[in-house]
Amino acid sequence: IRLEGGDRTTLTPGGHYAVNNHVHHCSRWNPLYHPGIAMFGVGNRAANNLLENLPHTAVGFTGNDQVIEFNEIHSSVYMANDAGAIYTSPPTEEFTMYGHVIRHNYVHHIYGFEDRGCNGAVYLDDFFPGTTMYGNVFYQVPRAVFIGGGRYNVVENNIFVDCNPSLHIDARGLGWAASNEGMLIELLHEYPYKNELWRSRYPSLAGILDDEPMVPKGNVVVRNICWRGSWDDIEEKARPHVVLDENLVGVDPRFIDEAGENFALREDSPAYRLGFKSIPFEKIGVYEDQLRASWPVHHRVRPRGE
């Protein structure tokens, strides 16, 4: 499924949507960079889809103001390692691609090619900025959230279970990718990022050239749960610029039924004392509807190493 619409100069939304689809066993002839759902432009939405058994990316996105929510994704990225289940489809090396929301998705059983890992459930590659990841559940995913040198991304109120590590943030703009600065600035000037519309929508972008643009500033990681697995892999050059606060790490969050993969929290969960908000599990995934081609929907988790 390809969603493309909207105008990036005026930030006019396309309004296209892919909702309540079962996308599976795609991209078999040409597996790489052919996601189950691809999103381009401005203001499109992928919601309540089940994406599974996909060799590379499940959802690819770029542009501005895309919404990815209430999807279940599993058994993807099994023919790649430098990829993620939800991935910023190339080309994405721009400072301007703000405004995305990735919320209330359940991403699980992602292992990478030959069980050698991959870059996560959400992979923000090469300076990708301004994305909010809220209320997602990540289970058995390496580098579950991967921020590749980008700025002003928010990781809030997510659950990480058996992820190694749960969070990666690097400072590639201060190291091996520093030479990209000229290209990034050139692309920046292709958009009216200082006009009233852009400034009101993305206030942190307007002054970027006066604020060390290659430094991964403004990333916020708050009120997340990390249980089993490991917590963060933040590059030392990036760590001073990351806000880390009120995360529940290594403390039993008291799931209702962890063995049965029910990661809803019991009423006595210590996460609530940190301000954690309940995740609407009942709204995640496909649902019965007169437009559905089949119901119930059957699917199989791909065994580890297969």
Side-chain angles (χ1 to χ4, degrees):
I1 300 173
R2 181 183 176 100
L3 306 178
E4 182 167 6
D7 185 283
R8 291 198 62 212
T9 300
T10 62
L11 298 178
T12 302
H16 301 310
Y17 56 88
V19 175
N20 201 21
N21 301 283
H22 183 196
V23 183
H24 60 101
H25 296 91
C26 303
S27 310
R28 290 178 292 174
W29 292 349
N30 190 355
L32 301 184
Y33 295 104
H34 291 88
I37 298 176
M39 306 173 72
F40 302 90
V42 181
N44 303 298
R45 177 173 177 255
N48 291 101
N49 300 290
L50 169 61
L51 300 108
E52 46 103 1
N53 281 282
L54 301 169
H56 199 240
T57 298
V59 179
F61 73 102
T62 186
N64 295 83
D65 301 340
Q66 313 287 22
V67 176
I68 301 167
E69 60 183 357
F70 297 108
N71 303 285
E72 179 179 0
I73 302 172
H74 70 80
S75 308
S76 301
V77 201
Y78 60 80
M79 290 191 69
N81 301 110
D82 187 14
I86 300 173
Y87 180 47
T88 49
S89 299
T92 58
E93 291 182 318
E94 291 189 23
F95 290 140
T96 59
M97 293 185 177
Y98 270 67
H100 308 286
V101 176
I102 300 172
R103 63 188 169 208
H104 299 146
N105 302 283
Y106 177 34
V107 186
H108 57 103
H109 297 96
I110 307 287
Y111 304 116
F113 180 57
E114 294 183 342
D115 197 18
R116 291 185 293 173
C118 58
N119 287 335
V122 181
Y123 182 4
L124 306 183
D125 203 359
D126 288 340
F127 308 104
F128 203 86
T131 299
T132 296
M133 293 152 277
Y134 181 91
N136 302 285
V137 180
F138 306 122
Y139 174 52
Q140 290 195 10
V141 186
R143 298 190 186 99
V145 168
F146 188 108
I147 298 174
R151 299 160 63 98
Y152 292 97
N153 298 293
V154 176
V155 184
E156 182 180 1
N157 209 90
N158 303 283
I159 295 175
F160 300 86
V161 181
D162 198 12
C163 298
N164 288 290
S166 299
L167 173 72
H168 169 96
I169 303 176
D170 63 52
R172 62 187 61 190
L174 301 178
W176 61 269
S179 60
N180 289 349
E181 183 172 5
M183 176 194 68
L184 290 164
I185 292 174
E186 183 178 344
L187 291 170
L188 176 67
H189 289 303
E190 292 186 7
Y191 295 93
Y193 72 99
K194 288 187 176 182
N195 73 10
E196 184 177 349
L197 172 65
W198 277 69
R199 185 185 293 271
S200 63
R201 191 79 64 84
Y202 317 129
S204 64
L205 179 60
I208 186 172
L209 296 185
D210 299 319
D211 189 30
E212 301 176 296
M214 301 301 280
V215 179
K217 294 184 178 183
N219 293 304
V220 175
V221 182
V222 294
R223 287 181 294 280
N224 298 282
I225 294 170
C226 173
W227 178 239
R228 307 195 190 281
S230 59
W231 176 222
D232 76 72
D233 172 33
I234 300 176
E235 187 176 348
E236 288 309 307
K237 292 179 181 178
R239 191 174 291 275
H241 307 287
V242 180
V243 174
L244 288 152
D245 194 23
E246 296 186 323
N247 297 291
L248 188 72
V249 178
V251 176
D252 187 351
R254 300 175 187 169
F255 297 126
I256 287 178
D257 181 12
E258 181 179 352
E261 298 177 21
N262 181 348
F263 300 116
L265 299 177
R266 289 166 27 190
E267 292 183 359
D268 61 348
S269 172
Y272 289 131
R273 294 195 293 272
L274 300 177
F276 192 91
K277 303 299 183 184
S278 296
I279 294 173
F281 288 91
E282 71 282 359
K283 296 181 180 180
I284 296 175
V286 292
Y287 53 86
E288 186 174 8
D289 183 83
Q290 62 180 356
L291 298 178
R292 279 219 47 81
S294 61
W295 190 262
V297 173
H298 300 286
H299 57 110
R300 166 183 172 269
V301 171
R302 187 182 182 92
R304 190 167 196 159
E306 183 177 300

